[in-house]
């Protein structure tokens, strides 16, 4: 029961973290019109914990497709790794469309697409659901350009969240004392908050010390399981059964109920781990081991204490009390 409670609590925290990332809340943005150095922004993608980083600039005229001339797509000029920030599936050669735009055009990755400026190609598609993230990219086209030059924004997707990212983003802005007040730091999606401290949530969860409860209960059960047989044990001592033989018997009897419980907990953990992310399976088993191992040891200790407190000279008192 304690294993299940802890595993479900941790799985909930993992799901919350996954939801936070999937909603784009881990993407930190900085906006400074015409002052973001594309190469400096792209360089942030090499930092530890940063999944991707890229810069963008919105073009004044939308992208008009021949099939939808009256519904121009919002057109952005972006650096090579900006599509990765949006989790785009792209081969890097052509336009990267939002999923809604690709559906409206009726094309998929690799297909040619006619624009009023000529023929292009769909190099990739990125999802952009309406889950609270910033508007303007749900019906858009990304035109990948070089990292050189100046852009309007820099986006960085880092996980786990790092307080230093915002300071590093400021280094991508070309200095201009007269316009520094216009620099804006934000997140792609603020509906889930601007911070997610998964480590603190994990360490402060209610089941952190669940192993203590499991060990205490197991120790009590181990003690009682032997104590209720004190008359039989004292009688065995009275008939000159060696104490070491009684220790072996009690150890086998305790193992008969402790090991099946441990095996059941382990088997349930293996099944539960198989339903989660592969990279979390080792941690899932470790969390159960932190509960099962102390409980097994405590049950054995309780049984040993109960045996040690059972005395032959108290046999008649045990019989009388019974």
């Amino acid at each position: 029961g304690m294993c299940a409670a802890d595993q479900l609590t941790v799985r909930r925290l993992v799901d919350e973290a996954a939801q936070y990332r999937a909603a784009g809340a881990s993407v930190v943005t900085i906006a400074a019109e015409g002052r973001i150095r594309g190469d400096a922004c792209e360089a942030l993608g090499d930092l530890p914990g940063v999944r991707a980083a890229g810069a963008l600039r919105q073009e004044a005229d939308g992208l008009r497709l021949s099939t939808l001339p009256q519904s121009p797509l919002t057109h952005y000029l972006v650096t090579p790794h900006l599509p990765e920030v949006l989790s785009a599936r792209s081969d890097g050669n052509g336009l990267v469309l939002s999923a809604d735009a690709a559906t409206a055009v009726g094309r998929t990755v690799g297909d040619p697409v006619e624009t009023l400026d000529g023929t292009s190609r769909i190099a990739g598609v990125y999802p952009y659901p309406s889950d609270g993230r910033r508007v303007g990219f749900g019906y858009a086209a990304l035109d990948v350009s070089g990292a050189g030059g100046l852009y309007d924004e820099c986006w960085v997707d880092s996980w786990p969240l790092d307080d230093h990212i915002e300071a590093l983003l400021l280094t991508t802005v070309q200095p201009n004392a007269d316009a520094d007040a216009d620099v804006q730091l934000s997140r792609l999606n603020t509906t889930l908050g601007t911070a997610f401290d998964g480590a603190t949530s994990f360490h402060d969860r209610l089941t952190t010390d669940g192993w203590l409860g499991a060990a205490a209960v197991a120790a009590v059960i181990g003690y009682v399981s032997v104590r209720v047989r004190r008359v039989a044990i004292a009688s065995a001592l009275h008939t000159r059964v060696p104490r070491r033989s009684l220790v072996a018997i009690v150890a086998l009897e305790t193992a008969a109920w402790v090991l099946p419980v441990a095996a059941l907990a382990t088997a349930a953990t293996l099944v539960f781990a198989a339903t989660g992310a592969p990279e979390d399976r080792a941690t899932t088993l470790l969390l159960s081991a932190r509960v099962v191992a102390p409980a097994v040891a405590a049950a054995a200790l309780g049984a040993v204490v109960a045996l040690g407190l059972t005395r032959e000279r108290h046999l008649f008192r045990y019989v009388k009390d019974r």
Side-chain angles (χ1 to χ4, degrees), residues 17 158 210 229 298:
S158 66
R229 292 179 288 124

Side-chain angles (χ1 to χ4, degrees), residues 85-177:
V85 179
L86 292 170
S87 300
R89 303 186 306 273
S90 171
D91 58 18
N93 185 21
L95 296 172
V96 180
L97 304 184
S98 65
D100 288 346
T103 300
V105 174
R107 298 287 190 275
T108 186
V109 177
D111 292 342
V113 59
E114 295 290 337
T115 72
L116 298 185
D117 297 327
T119 302
S120 187
R121 175 180 177 275
I122 299 179
V125 175
Y126 65 90
Y128 206 83
S130 300
D131 54 5
R133 65 185 70 197
R134 200 173 108 190
V135 299
F137 295 86
Y139 189 70
L142 310 180
D143 195 354
V144 180
S145 181
L150 297 176
Y151 292 81
D152 295 337
E153 297 185 39
C154 178
W155 292 11
V156 176
D157 185 9
S158 66
W159 191 263
L161 299 180
D162 189 344
D163 294 336
H164 299 95
I165 288 297
E166 292 186 358
L168 291 171
L169 276 169
L170 291 173
T171 65
T172 67
V173 182
Q174 185 166 284
N176 185 338

Side-chain angles (χ1 to χ4, degrees), residues 5-315:
D6 195 33
Q7 295 291 352
L8 291 173
T9 300
V10 174
R11 179 64 62 84
R12 177 179 57 80
L13 294 176
V14 171
D15 290 342
E16 289 178 357
Q19 179 184 3
Y20 191 88
R21 293 192 66 188
S26 60
V27 177
V28 185
T29 68
I30 186 170
E33 187 174 353
R35 296 171 54 203
I36 299 294
R37 293 183 293 120
D39 54 352
C41 180
E42 286 275 317
L44 296 180
D46 296 328
L47 295 175
V50 175
R51 186 180 66 84
L56 63 90
R57 179 177 70 240
Q58 183 174 353
E59 298 294 274
D61 297 326
L63 183 66
R64 295 182 181 274
L65 305 180
S66 299
T67 55
L68 298 169
Q70 303 304 318
S71 301
L73 303 177
T74 307
H75 190 198
Y76 295 95
L77 193 67
V78 303
T79 57
H81 290 97
L82 192 282
E84 292 184 24
V85 179
L86 292 170
S87 300
R89 303 186 306 273
S90 171
D91 58 18
N93 185 21
L95 296 172
V96 180
L97 304 184
S98 65
D100 288 346
T103 300
V105 174
R107 298 287 190 275
T108 186
V109 177
D111 292 342
V113 59
E114 295 290 337
T115 72
L116 298 185
D117 297 327
T119 302
S120 187
R121 175 180 177 275
I122 299 179
V125 175
Y126 65 90
Y128 206 83
S130 300
D131 54 5
R133 65 185 70 197
R134 200 173 108 190
V135 299
F137 295 86
Y139 189 70
L142 310 180
D143 195 354
V144 180
S145 181
L150 297 176
Y151 292 81
D152 295 337
E153 297 185 39
C154 178
W155 292 11
V156 176
D157 185 9
S158 66
W159 191 263
L161 299 180
D162 189 344
D163 294 336
H164 299 95
I165 288 297
E166 292 186 358
L168 291 171
L169 276 169
L170 291 173
T171 65
T172 67
V173 182
Q174 185 166 284
N176 185 338
D178 295 334
D180 283 345
D182 296 330
V183 176
Q184 296 181 349
L185 284 163
S186 184
R187 293 189 182 274
L188 184 60
N189 191 340
T190 59
T191 58
L192 299 179
T194 59
F196 185 91
D197 194 346
T200 299
S201 299
F202 176 78
H203 291 299
D204 293 345
R205 69 191 190 280
L206 293 176
T207 56
T208 299
D209 297 324
W211 67 273
L212 288 173
V217 172
V220 171
I221 296 176
Y223 179 86
V224 173
S225 68
V226 175
R227 188 64 176 172
V228 296
R229 292 179 288 124
R230 59 189 181 278
V231 173
I233 294 173
S235 297
L237 291 171
H238 185 69
T239 57
R240 300 296 184 268
V241 174
R243 184 170 284 273
R244 61 177 177 274
S245 297
L246 284 177
V247 171
I249 292 172
V250 169
L252 290 173
E253 291 173 342
T254 302
W257 64 267
V258 169
L259 294 182
V261 173
L264 176 62
T266 302
T269 301
L270 288 171
V271 173
F272 186 76
T275 65
E279 59 269 21
D280 291 340
R281 290 173 184 172
T283 302
T284 301
L285 293 173
L286 179 61
L287 288 174
S288 280
R290 290 181 66 251
V291 176
V292 173
V296 169
L301 179 62
V304 169
V305 170
L307 179 62
L309 293 177
T310 304
R311 296 286 188 268
E312 176 191 353
R313 63 178 180 271
H314 296 155
L315 174 60

